[in-house]
Amino acid sequence: MENKMKASRTLMLAALSASVMALGTAQAEDRSDWPSNFTVGTASQGGTYFAYGAGWANFVAENLGVSGGGEVTGGPMQNMALVHTGDLAFGLTTMGPARESMDGNSPLAPGMKMDNVCAIFPMYETPFSVTALTSSGIKSIADIPDGARIGFGPAGSTSDTYFPPMLETLGVDFDRRNGSWNDLGGQLQDGLLDVIAFAAGIPIPAVSQLEVQTDVNIIEFTEAEMNTILDAFPVSEFTIPASTYQSLDSNARAVSMWNFAIANCDLSESFVYEVTKLTMENNAQMVSIHKAATTSVPANYNKNTFIPWHPGAARWFNENGYTIPANMIK
């Protein structure tokens, strides 16, 4: 009897070993079309895209065993172009610039319809907010003086694309300046700028750094100003919670656009599936990268109404109860 039990255990161990070997072989085969490395297009240092994108790239690289990292770019418009051409595997974009790029209206490549870009998961909303030094006396949009030097972030960024016409619509006359968020924050502190018009996920690293070093006013829109912007631009109503910044005593009224992570549509389906699965099933780790990832959850997949989904990402969402119709899959 004992010999029979030993023989049975031996057979079971042999079967288990064979199963493990088969699984390992299957995994190797599944990865045969995976890239050897990848890069995520982010934006300038000091902005949320850079912190979120670089952290996400490292998270994916460490867990999937593929070398990867974030790259400083000009932001959503440039990320659309670089992902479309395949110069970048992944990128981060805002829905407004994405729409313009897909329609061939990107200022970076007029006439080029960037249709080789696919959505992979929802990120967060980008609020449009204004910051000035308390010492400037600027407490509202109406207080911004004619000819004010306003920093709008990197050229071609979401802020640079949409905030100037928004402020013009509100009757603000300004001298337009561009640069990385870190650089603009330094210029504001040094008195070289009067205002910074931010469009970035909150908390914005450059604003958090500024308020540690000096007193700032985070300026909200009046209800009338917000309604004017809502009527004229592809944005939605948003509230910046008072807890976001130490400079806020109460919630601040703003407007926002959604952001999505994107991939080159030619990337391996199994690779993108595993990237999506890792990201969507580990929100706590994503929030540890940046608090804006609180809304990087599967339920917000429906905030994308026009970017085609990568087949790998769509497979994960459909398997997990978030229906993406066939006509929305590349």
Side-chain angles (χ1 to χ4, degrees):
M1 179 66 72
E2 185 177 347
N3 289 336
K4 286 184 179 180
M5 291 178 64
K6 286 183 178 179
S8 178
R9 283 198 298 269
T10 300
L11 287 171
M12 289 175 62
L13 288 171
L16 178 60
S17 177
S19 297
V20 170
M21 289 177 64
L23 178 60
T25 302
Q27 286 179 334
E29 289 174 355
D30 288 343
R31 291 183 172 225
S32 62
D33 61 350
W34 284 27
S36 59
N37 59 77
F38 68 90
T39 305
V40 176
T42 62
S44 71
Q45 293 182 348
T48 304
Y49 264 29
F50 181 76
Y52 186 110
W56 173 59
N58 292 337
F59 178 55
V60 170
E62 290 170 4
N63 284 275
L64 296 187
V66 180
S67 176
E71 181 174 306
V72 173
T73 70
M77 283 284 192
Q78 189 175 20
N79 291 341
M80 286 290 295
L82 293 172
V83 170
H84 168 74
T85 59
D87 290 298
L88 295 177
F90 299 113
L92 314 179
T93 195
T94 314
M95 301 310 274
R99 176 84 272 178
E100 293 192 30
S101 298
M102 292 176 64
D103 289 345
N105 297 321
S106 169
L108 301 179
M112 178 188 287
K113 293 190 176 183
M114 300 179 188
D115 55 4
N116 201 33
V117 175
C118 286
I120 53 175
F121 66 84
M123 293 168 53
Y124 55 81
E125 291 178 90
T126 286
F128 289 74
S129 61
V130 176
T131 299
L133 297 184
T134 302
S135 59
S136 71
I138 299 173
K139 299 179 180 179
S140 67
I141 301 296
D143 288 339
I144 299 175
D146 287 347
R149 300 159 298 176
I150 301 182
F152 290 100
S157 65
T158 301
S159 181
D160 186 51
T161 302
Y162 290 95
F163 230 145
M166 284 182 185
L167 292 182
E168 287 170 350
T169 300
L170 297 178
V172 179
D173 176 73
F174 53 83
D175 178 10
R176 185 172 182 165
R177 304 289 178 87
N178 292 111
S180 73
W181 294 125
N182 274 350
D183 288 344
L184 295 177
Q187 291 177 41
L188 183 70
Q189 192 171 355
D190 293 340
L192 301 176
L193 290 176
D194 300 296
V195 167
I196 301 180
F198 286 99
I202 55 175
I204 302 166
V207 176
S208 298
Q209 182 64 30
L210 266 174
E211 63 176 1
V212 168
Q213 299 171 335
T214 188
D215 294 329
V216 300
N217 291 339
I218 296 169
I219 299 164
E220 69 173 347
F221 295 116
T222 65
E223 187 170 355
E225 289 166 345
M226 183 188 69
N227 288 333
T228 297
I229 294 172
L230 290 174
D231 288 342
F233 297 92
V235 292
S236 55
E237 188 173 343
F238 187 85
T239 298
I240 300 175
S243 59
T244 306
Y245 300 110
Q246 62 186 32
S247 301
L248 282 177
D249 294 325
S250 59
N251 295 343
R253 191 182 294 107
V255 296
S256 69
M257 279 184 186
W258 267 92
N259 298 271
F260 268 72
I262 52 174
N264 180 273
C265 296
D266 297 328
L267 274 180
S268 157
E269 179 178 333
S270 65
F271 177 54
V272 175
Y273 175 87
E274 293 298 337
V275 169
T276 306
K277 174 182 172 66
L278 176 71
T279 308
M280 292 291 92
E281 294 183 5
N282 292 281
N283 186 249
Q285 283 82 352
M286 290 298 294
V287 173
S288 72
I289 292 168
H290 197 285
K291 289 181 181 178
T294 301
T295 55
S296 299
V297 294
N300 287 323
Y301 81 106
N302 58 4
K303 301 301 189 293
N304 170 34
T305 58
F306 60 86
I307 305 175
W309 287 88
H310 192 285
R315 177 156 65 91
W316 183 89
F317 279 96
N318 282 327
E319 285 178 357
N320 289 275
Y322 304 95
T323 304
I324 296 175
N327 65 355
M328 276 292 289
I329 302 172
K330 185 72 172 182

